[in-house]
Amino acid sequence: MDPLNASTDYERIFHPERIAIIGVSGKGAGFGARLFYSLRAIGYAGEIFLVNPKGGQLDGHEIYESIEAIPGGFDLAIIAVAASAVPEALEACRLKGAAAAEILSAGFSELGTPEGMALEKQIMDVAARGIRVIGPNCFGMYVPKSGLTVLPGPDLSREPGPVAFSSQSGGMAVDFANMGKSTGLTFSKVVSFGNGVDLRETELLDYFGQDMQTRIIAMYIEGVKNGDAFFKTLKKVAAHKPVIVMKGGLSAAGSRAVLSHTASMGGSARIWEAILKQANAVQVFDMSEMARTCLAFTHLQPGTYRHISVLGGGGALGVAAADAAEAVGMKIPPFSPDLKTRIDDLLPRPGSSGANPVDVANPFVAPQVLKDVLLLAAEDDRIELQILITLFHHYKTIAQMMGMPVKDIVPYNELAVGVAEVIDKTSKPVVLILNNPKRGLDHMDVVEMIEEARRAFLKRGIPVFDDLKEAMGAIGHINAYYGGKTDE
Amino acid sequence: MNKDAALKIINAARHRGRTMLSEYEAKKVLCHYDIPVTREKLITERRGLEYAVHEIGYPLVLKGCSPDIAHKTEKNLIRVDIRNFDEAVHAYGEINAALDGASGGVLAQEMIPGRRELVMGMTRDDQFGPCVMFGLGGIFTEILEDISFRKAPIDARDAMQMMQEIRGRKILDAIRGMEAADTNALAEILIRLGQIGLEIDAVAEIDINPVIISGSRPVAVDALIVLRPQ
């Protein structure tokens, strides 16, 4: 098994004070120069040293002609030279005392050529002598706290948060970091490790398990290097932190020619499902499900939420809510007649219903009323979590009549303040659904208003989802994780 | 448990270049790992029939038993509910004809009463090594594929989860006048299968299908063990 390498200085890797970028064109083109721009755009505050044998300058920054010429040492190297020059550059970085190098260059084992394989082997040999390697063929790391960012990530958020993400695919890493920015996820560390010759899934998982800044671990996996080590580490880490895994490339059938039914049915899809369940990890099947699940784990306290109330409106609310809840083993218990009557009294008539789910019948019910309904519903001792479905898009009609921008008339701020008070008073979480079927070009004002609203709720620690069913799926994952844990 | 005795059977088969055990040999291996199997006698010559059926008693089952044939039903090699010696002689003749010169013999075994059939097995995953399977057995194995897996070694809790995970889990409850299945005994079999996978490298795949629930007690009624090529 791959134990956490005690000699690895993760602090220097993730929070480097001095970075060397090896392979920077003075013309500003290429990976090296682009990453330099990205680091400056996101506001990395440490020192950056540029290296290119031709020397010269880039935007007033001196380009050193060799790694050796850099004055003093550096913590992290970012290598973006041609594949054939990588081993030598890596060795020079090691001699300079760098803790790690992220190698953006491609042209290694992913080509499947003997030359590519041989070069990758040389990288491994240098790494074994005492420098950690991320990559090659990767986008690098994104660490909001230190201002480290991936190649296409000049505009990512600097707000640190509890989610760590490791990914074999650089594209997935960038996409997830971007999704995070738009859905309210915040990160401790995002690592794209590409071919993963050295530092890769199992060791990163082990590290994230111990990292004080990481509460939630997400992983995109194509293959693991050592199944036994991965499983043991996953089981160990998932026992105290949620680990959310998306496995790419699953097949239903076993790959080899086999005689038994057991082997023919044991394809990678079933085995991975089994492995993840056995370790009490959470399996998701696409990146947006992963983002929603991480968001739910970010904002909801550890525990299970099996009995919920649903308040709001929308098409066939009662049926849709019941179906979605049942699919993930949650219940929407009807309120007592007394409680129902007290809720009914607050709601506009006719068309509303104070039973659970509570149909408010009208998208323009005042935030104060919604707040009072939430407070009443929370009086039912069985209720562990409340879901509030808003229909803000309906305000567009009113905005047009009044000749005002829609975002100026939707009371999302007032509602966000009210919901936060409810959560405070009742100690029961509220999850918000920002339902919006108006997303076309003629409704960009609605889209903008919805995003403003999302921000207002997220700012107060209220998780926001676009869809009731998706929210319940994410909460279902929380129940499965903490339910599986308490069985220990 | 007797790993060495199990290994002896496996090594003898490998020594002869075989990549499969006969049902008779497979059940002996399972037996050495304390997995409950049917009482049975292997008949290699016609004159052994009378003694074998006497030992097992009626009603009984006769099966063609050859390390060259993985799936017997397809080859018409099984006769069940044999109630007297005349029927046994007749069935024996038919099975021998169907064997068509394949090595092995005819297996006389007790007929296990019970309407609930399960499947249990072991396979080796390229990445995760030996994995244990549980599911609905008999013809439903292939039709419904209602199964669950775990990586070996498994503990009792893993085994219970495997049983709870299949859609047809109610088959283990007390239903339609039948007793609830002994899930502890079932868990024990699953644990043992994982143990075989971990301890005996030469075993590539195992199918026990069906495991019949007789009363509450599971019994391995048919078994297939595939060996790794040398």
Side-chain angles (χ1 to χ4, degrees), chain A residues 20-276:
Chain A
I21 305 180
I22 323 298
V24 174
S25 154
K27 297 189 189 103
F31 280 7
R34 279 170 54 201
L35 191 56
F36 174 58
Y37 286 128
S38 290
L39 285 171
R40 289 207 308 183
I42 203 170
Y44 170 72
E47 279 184 276
I48 303 176
F49 302 92
L50 308 178
V51 178
N52 187 309
K54 293 188 192 126
Q57 283 201 337
L58 179 61
D59 273 3
H61 255 72
E62 180 181 357
I63 301 179
Y64 295 91
E65 286 174 21
S66 70
I67 295 164
E68 293 78 8
I70 294 172
F74 47 89
D75 304 299
L76 175 71
I78 295 169
I79 298 180
V81 298
S84 58
V86 167
E88 197 186 326
L90 184 62
E91 174 67 5
C93 294
R94 184 185 77 81
L95 292 172
K96 271 285 204 179
E102 59 177 52
I103 302 175
L104 307 182
S105 320
F108 300 91
S109 66
E110 79 278 7
L111 298 180
T113 60
E115 296 78 23
M117 306 278 195
L119 281 170
E120 196 160 295
K121 174 76 177 47
Q122 288 181 47
I123 294 178
M124 282 184 223
D125 292 343
V126 178
R129 290 202 287 273
I131 181 169
R132 299 312 307 262
V133 171
I134 296 121
N137 187 28
C138 74
F139 276 168
M141 301 176 281
Y142 161 54
V143 184
K145 189 168 170 234
S146 64
L148 208 55
T149 192
V150 286
L151 181 62
D155 52 356
L156 293 173
S157 165
R158 282 299 300 271
E159 190 187 345
V163 180
F165 180 54
S166 80
S167 172
Q168 242 154 320
S169 151
M172 288 286 197
V174 178
D175 288 354
F176 196 57
N178 274 302
M179 283 171 84
K181 195 179 180 183
S182 40
T183 59
L185 274 189
T186 48
F187 298 97
S188 58
K189 279 119 191 160
V190 172
V191 181
S192 120
F193 59 80
N195 295 6
V197 297
D198 180 32
L199 200 54
R200 51 180 301 146
E201 71 283 330
T202 303
E203 218 177 325
L204 286 168
L205 175 59
D206 201 6
Y207 168 72
F208 292 149
Q210 299 177 35
D211 177 26
M212 301 291 281
Q213 277 139 22
T214 298
R215 255 192 324 115
I216 299 145
I217 301 163
M219 308 178 83
Y220 171 74
I221 297 175
E222 278 163 15
V224 293
K225 195 170 130 212
N226 177 336
D228 274 327
F230 172 74
F231 176 71
K232 277 182 197 148
T233 305
L234 183 64
K235 204 170 171 179
K236 181 183 85 180
V237 173
H240 61 101
K241 285 183 192 180
V243 183
I244 299 137
V245 177
M246 177 182 164
K247 170 71 175 71
L250 293 171
S251 78
S255 50
R256 292 157 292 138
V258 291
L259 275 171
S260 67
H261 291 132
T262 305
S264 73
M265 291 187 294
S268 62
R270 284 207 176 93
I271 299 294
W272 269 93
E273 182 193 345
I275 292 295
L276 296 174

Side-chain angles (χ1 to χ4, degrees), chain A residues 228 256 260-262 278, chain B residues 124 127 145 149 151 205 207:
Chain A
D228 274 327
R256 292 157 292 138
S260 67
H261 291 132
T262 305
Q278 200 169 350
Chain B
R124 289 183 191 276
Q127 281 188 312
E145 297 200 2
F149 280 92
K151 171 179 162 54
E205 309 161 34
D207 263 353

Side-chain angles (χ1 to χ4, degrees), chain B residues 53-117:
Chain B
V53 300
H54 178 75
E55 283 291 296
I56 301 296
Y58 300 108
L60 56 77
V61 177
L62 288 180
K63 288 177 179 172
C65 177
S66 167
D68 304 326
I69 301 170
H71 299 291
K72 289 179 276 286
T73 310
E74 286 86 332
K75 299 267 186 196
N76 196 23
L77 288 173
I78 302 176
R79 298 292 182 279
V80 299
D81 201 19
I82 294 166
R83 293 184 173 264
N84 55 52
F85 192 61
D86 283 347
E87 286 180 21
V89 170
H90 184 70
Y92 181 85
E94 284 183 345
I95 290 170
N96 251 326
L99 273 171
D100 199 19
S103 68
V106 173
L107 199 55
Q109 66 187 210
E110 64 176 322
M111 196 161 115
I112 301 294
R115 286 184 284 158
R116 291 175 289 181
E117 298 190 327

Side-chain angles (χ1 to χ4, degrees), chain A residues 392 410-418 452-453 456-457 459-460:
Chain A
F392 287 156
V410 177
Y412 55 80
N413 270 319
E414 199 187 336
L415 185 61
V417 171
E452 294 284 355
F457 286 93
K459 202 170 76 184
R460 295 173 171 84

